[in-house]
Amino acid sequence: MTTPLFREDAYLSTVEAKVTGLRTDGGILLDRTIFYATSGGQPGDTGHLERTDGSIIKIGETITGETKDDIVHLPAEGQAAPEIGEELVLHIDWKRRYRLMRMHTACHILSVVLPHPITGASVGEEESRVDFDLSDASADKAEVTEKMMAIVSANHPVFTRWITDEELDANPGLIKSANVRPPRGTGRIRLVSIGEDGAVDTQPCGGTHVSETQEVGEIHIGKIEKKGRENRRFRIRFGEMPG
Ligand SMILES: [Zn+2]
């Protein structure tokens, strides 16, 4: 079991940790980590582990193991293996992670502008996509962009809190995803809210987000695609909408 420090503080870019296990595939297990493991449409972190002698072990990918609570740090090819019990200093590729945090938050903002069931989502460094169960073809790139940027500019707080399974059952409207159910069984669900008291949006999510919407920066809808009769795919990109 690895303590996922990124869940309480997404802004940690370096921390000390101890090696608790090594997998046959070279995967490194730690007592705690700031490396987000691929899940919920957000790619896992890359970065490096610094050893006491100053040498580094490059991490090419972070994934979940047998359970969602197992976080596996997969070294890039040709890296030395650490010892069990060894103390390391963890460094994530912060530039990349911060772009993913901004993009991930932008996906939540898009789901506020388009209050339709989400059928898929993928967060990327350059571009993210969200698929909606939406047959209406009238959505306009410029209009959706304008509404998203109004939420970004309002600089709403973004924060997390935990609720029980029972509280979630009592509020089924919190679930926006049409086919991904929040993980059950641990007795608690992590909610991500935007706005004072979550007035703008609240939904279950385990990913990493910025703490104020203004940090998302300039974004726009680059493309709207038809994916089957009932689905529309919206692509979010950084920067101003090309004139
Ligand atoms: Zn999220």
Side-chain angles (χ1 to χ4, degrees), residues 5-133:
L5 298 172
F6 52 82
R7 286 220 209 290
E8 300 305 327
D9 185 357
Y11 288 82
L12 289 173
S13 61
T14 178
V15 80
E16 289 172 18
K18 192 186 280 185
V19 178
T20 56
L22 296 168
R23 304 204 316 178
T24 49
D25 64 355
I28 300 165
L29 307 175
L30 303 166
D31 61 344
R32 57 190 200 149
T33 192
I34 48 175
F35 282 73
Y36 181 79
T38 303
S39 61
Q42 182 180 331
D45 282 315
T46 58
H48 66 271
L49 312 177
E50 186 186 342
R51 309 182 79 177
T52 328
D53 67 1
S55 67
I56 64 164
I57 299 166
K58 278 189 190 164
I59 300 300
E61 200 184 352
T62 310
I63 58 169
T64 52
E66 283 175 23
T67 73
K68 279 240 174 191
D69 294 321
D70 286 330
I71 297 173
V72 183
H73 309 77
L74 291 174
E77 216 157 300
Q79 303 297 300
E83 311 270 339
I84 290 178
E86 187 174 335
E87 302 270 0
L88 300 166
V89 182
L90 284 48
H91 301 268
I92 54 169
D93 180 344
W94 173 249
K95 213 178 143 200
R96 173 176 180 271
R97 156 71 92 69
Y98 190 57
R99 286 178 76 86
L100 293 171
M101 282 162 60
R102 290 168 60 204
M103 265 299 187
H104 190 143
T105 309
C107 292
H108 285 242
I109 291 170
L110 178 59
S111 79
V112 174
V113 173
L114 297 168
H116 304 282
I118 294 168
T119 54
S122 173
V123 179
E125 262 182 285
E126 304 298 331
E127 182 186 89
S128 296
R129 60 168 177 79
V130 183
D131 298 340
F132 293 94
D133 183 345

Side-chain angles (χ1 to χ4, degrees), residues 104 108 192 205 207 209:
H104 190 143
H108 285 242
V192 174
C205 185
H209 313 81

